[in-house]
Amino acid sequence: MTNVLRIALPFTLWIIGFSALYALHGLACSRHWPPGLDPREALILAAALYVGMQGLVLAAILTRPAPSRFAQHSATILATAALASAVWTSLPVLALTVCG
C-alpha cells in the first residue's frame, strides 16, 4: 500500500459508507422500497458492514506498517478516527425509528 493510499483510504471509505448508508435510509423511507423486505434489518446490516469495513482498514494498516514513520502514524490516527466516525454515524440506525 502506498503512503498516499494508506493516508487517504480511511476517510475515503468513510464517506462512501456514510453516503451509502444514508442513501439506503432514504430509499427505505420511499415508496420504492420492496414490500417484503424489513428496512430496519437492511439498515442494521449495512451499518455493520460499514463499521466492519473500517475495522478491516485499521487492522490492515496496523499489521502492514509503512516504511515511513510519519505515514504509519498518520494512517493509524486517521483510520482510528474514521472507525470512530463510522460508529458514531451508524448509531442513529440502532437508536431511532427508520422513518419518522
Side-chain angles (χ1 to χ4, degrees), residues 9-59:
L9 186 63
F11 273 104
T12 302
L13 290 178
W14 174 80
I15 194 62
I16 291 168
F18 176 82
S19 299
L21 183 64
Y22 283 95
L24 183 63
H25 183 259
L27 181 63
C29 293
S30 75
R31 61 184 170 94
H32 301 290
W33 188 258
L37 187 62
D38 183 23
R40 183 158 177 81
E41 290 177 4
L43 286 168
I44 289 172
L45 176 64
L49 290 172
Y50 170 45
V51 171
M53 174 184 65
Q54 290 294 350
L56 288 175
V57 169
L58 178 59

Side-chain angles (χ1 to χ4, degrees), residues 11-13 22 27 30 34 39 44 49 64-65 67-68 71-72 80 83 89-90 97-98:
F11 273 104
T12 302
L13 290 178
Y22 283 95
L27 181 63
S30 75
I44 289 172
L49 290 172
R64 301 173 77 200
S68 164
Q72 182 62 30
T80 303
L83 177 59
T89 56
S90 296
T97 60
V98 175

